[in-house]
Amino acid sequence: NNMFFRKGQSQLDGFILSLPKEPYGSTSDESLYQYEGFWYYKSDLQGAIISQKTLVSVEPCDVVLATFPKSGTTWFKALIFTIMNRNQHNPCSSTSSCSNSHPLHFASPHDCASRWLEHYAYKNPTNPVPDHVPILSTHMPYHSLPVSIKSSCCPIVYVCRNTKDNFVSLWHFTNKMRSNKLPPISLGEAFELFCRGVSPFGPFWDHLLGYWKASLESPNKILFLKYEDMKREPGVCVKKLAEFIGYPFSHEEETQGVVQHIVEFCSFENLSNFEVNKMETTKSIAPTLTVSNNMFFRKGQVGDYKNFLTKEMIGILDAITEDKFKDSGLNF
Ligand code: A3P
């Protein structure tokens, strides 16, 4: 692996620069690169390729959480962490004595027992997953996933969200994350690019379809979940999620209301009010990209797109979605 990296670093740069490229925002220096049919920021792509080449085993992980960006990754990380650790850490959201000692009070869901594969591989190219990490998260499309993930017995949970809310959430996040040296991307520009499939880890529809088809072929390996279903029927979805990742609820737990406690503990209202999740301190994730804990909590609602998209935009996104998903059995 080290060999690959020592020899490969400049080759990798050269390879990426040879790929199809699109400016991300008409007036900006930021570009996305197309690899195996999907668009990436350069740093994410470096990490993705390094992980493809070097990730020999995911033995140290308990679950892979795969998502399209802004589909609910933060929420599902919190849910999975809380489900897995419910015996050690009581997920109590009330003001009673048990409420303040849970690890999610002290660390963002992104820092709590989880690691983002592409980003970690980009920062640690010689050792993409060094030690035990309960939750390995990725935005990589299914067909580009490292073989070691596909062939391991580690369950994959995939989360997606309706096109319109996902797009609006992504547009907000893109501009927050972007270096303030670059001009923001207008809604119109982002829309035009998104519809052509040009967005980080896009095309959106192909990302969902890849995991959807894989989940139909391997239902025991891949659980396909929707943000909206978790909102509408959180109890049912949390039980399904817990069972799938190997932490089912006992009858006793169910009668004690543990499922409901987890739902409430991980709700947007509860999590977004933790001081740690309000933190604005930014950290650099790539030369032109920074994140802070509070960026991962905006509104957490279904249907917020209505406040941003015109009727015409809604019509266009609905038409593309219908066309792409027809005959697949996937719908929103
Ligand atoms: P909005 O921008 O629509 O508010 P990701 O975690 O994949 O980056 O996705 C972020 C989106 O999930 C944001 O959507 C964010 O507000 C929402 N979100 C974060 N935590 C949530 C929670 N506990 N429940 C529901 N939505 C949540």
Side-chain angles (χ1 to χ4, degrees), residues 161-172:
R161 189 175 187 185
N162 79 79
T163 318
K164 292 165 285 192
D165 283 332
N166 207 323
F167 165 70
V168 166
S169 182
L170 181 64
W171 173 65
H172 281 103

Side-chain angles (χ1 to χ4, degrees), residues 36-53:
E36 299 184 345
F38 287 81
W39 294 94
Y40 293 76
Y41 287 116
K42 189 166 176 234
S43 54
D44 290 345
L45 182 51
Q46 280 175 318
I49 295 175
I50 290 166
S51 71
Q52 280 183 331
K53 302 262 189 238

Side-chain angles (χ1 to χ4, degrees), residues 70-75 161 169 227 266 268 296 298-300:
K70 313 326 286 175
S71 62
T73 322
T74 315
W75 187 16
R161 189 175 187 185
S169 182
Y227 182 101
C266 293
F268 182 88
F296 293 92
R298 193 182 62 92
K299 279 199 185 163

